[in-house]
């Protein structure tokens, strides 16, 4: 009977340790990804509250993707132009960022600024980038915030020639996500 009990305890311990390994990968719970750009005519902003984000607290590896068509604009016409003329979201439906946080965040308890590097893919073009981010524990969540400047031509996003003087050449992506 004793060997049976010790095997059960060993099996329970193994199952708990496997569960702890899975608990180290955090996923998107809520938050938003916003982009902002200035033009001669007006400022353009769009927001999405849906994203697919995974962060491995032990290794610092992360993956994030956003469905381009999920961005919501103030005006429907802006949204149509963004999806059809600029981003060609039928051909390139996702923007992704996959990389690694360079500092050890395994035991994060206070807010800290971190460096991350990885591959950003927008409009079917991948580019290695480095960013600074802020990561913090707030209640039951790990919060990640960052700003990512993006130059359209780096990702081969064409601008309509008729608007070339009124459309900005870059955009600022602001990310604020709560992971659990």
């Amino acid at each position: 009977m004793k060997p049976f009990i010790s095997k059960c305890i060993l099996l329970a311990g193994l199952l708990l340790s496997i569960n702890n390994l899975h608990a180290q990968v955090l996923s998107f719970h809520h938050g938003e990804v916003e982009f902002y750009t200035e033009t001669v005519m007006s400022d353009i902003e769009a927001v999405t509250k849906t994203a697919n984000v995974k962060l491995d607290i032990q290794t610092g590896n992360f993956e994030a993707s956003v469905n381009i068509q999920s961005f919501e604009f103030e005006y429907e016409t802006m949204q149509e132009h963004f999806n059809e003329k600029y981003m060609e979201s039928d051909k390139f439906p996702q923007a992704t960022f996959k990389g690694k946080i360079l500092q050890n965040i395994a035991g994060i308890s206070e807010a800290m600024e971190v460096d991350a590097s990885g591959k950003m893919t927008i409009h079917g073009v991948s580019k290695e980038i480095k960013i600074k981010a802020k990561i913090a524990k707030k209640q039951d969540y790990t919060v990640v915030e960052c700003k990512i400047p993006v130059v359209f031509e780096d990702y081969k996003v064409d601008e309509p020639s008729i608007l070339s003087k009124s459309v900005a050449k870059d955009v600022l992506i602001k990310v604020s996500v709560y992971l659990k």
Side-chain angles (χ1 to χ4, degrees):
M1 191 79 140
K2 283 186 180 183
F4 176 74
I5 292 174
S6 62
K7 285 181 183 178
C8 287
I9 291 172
L10 182 61
L11 181 60
L14 180 61
L15 290 174
L16 286 174
S17 67
I18 288 172
N19 190 34
N20 281 340
L21 287 175
H22 287 286
Q24 301 307 318
V25 177
L26 305 177
S27 299
F28 179 82
H29 188 270
H30 66 280
E32 66 182 30
V33 178
E34 172 187 4
F35 77 81
Y36 172 83
T37 189
E38 295 177 354
T39 70
V40 172
M41 299 168 95
S42 69
D43 296 342
I44 299 171
E45 290 181 83
V47 176
T48 181
K49 295 186 185 282
T50 60
N52 184 5
V53 181
K54 303 269 188 234
L55 172 62
D56 186 324
I57 290 292
Q58 297 301 313
T59 65
N61 292 331
F62 65 86
E63 293 182 21
S65 66
V66 174
N67 182 317
I68 297 298
Q69 291 184 358
S70 71
F71 281 102
E72 295 180 7
F73 290 74
E74 183 177 2
Y75 302 107
E76 189 176 320
T77 305
M78 286 180 165
Q79 192 161 335
E80 287 173 14
H81 286 187
F82 173 76
N83 282 299
E84 294 171 11
K85 296 183 181 189
Y86 293 103
M87 298 303 293
E88 300 175 280
S89 57
D90 287 341
K91 282 174 37 180
F92 309 107
Q94 298 285 320
T96 62
F97 186 23
K98 183 177 181 178
K100 183 173 179 69
I101 294 174
L102 304 177
Q103 289 82 3
N104 180 358
I105 57 170
I108 186 168
S109 59
E110 295 181 13
M112 65 187 283
E113 200 167 287
V114 295
D115 298 300
S117 65
K119 188 177 286 189
M120 171 99 66
T121 303
I122 300 173
H123 198 246
V125 177
S126 296
K127 182 177 181 201
E128 291 288 329
I129 67 167
K130 293 181 181 180
I131 64 164
K132 291 204 173 290
K134 183 176 152 187
I135 187 166
K137 288 293 268 182
K138 290 185 182 174
Q139 296 170 343
D140 294 338
Y141 302 101
T142 297
V143 182
V144 179
E145 297 174 320
C146 65
K147 295 178 181 177
I148 307 169
V150 173
V151 177
F152 288 143
E153 81 179 15
D154 289 349
Y155 295 94
K156 296 187 170 106
V157 176
D158 293 332
E159 59 185 69
S161 58
I162 195 165
L163 298 175
S164 63
K165 292 192 177 11
S166 64
V167 177
K169 307 291 185 218
D170 60 1
V171 65
L172 182 65
I173 299 171
K174 294 187 232 176
V175 178
S176 179
V177 293
Y178 290 72
L179 308 174
K180 195 168 189 178

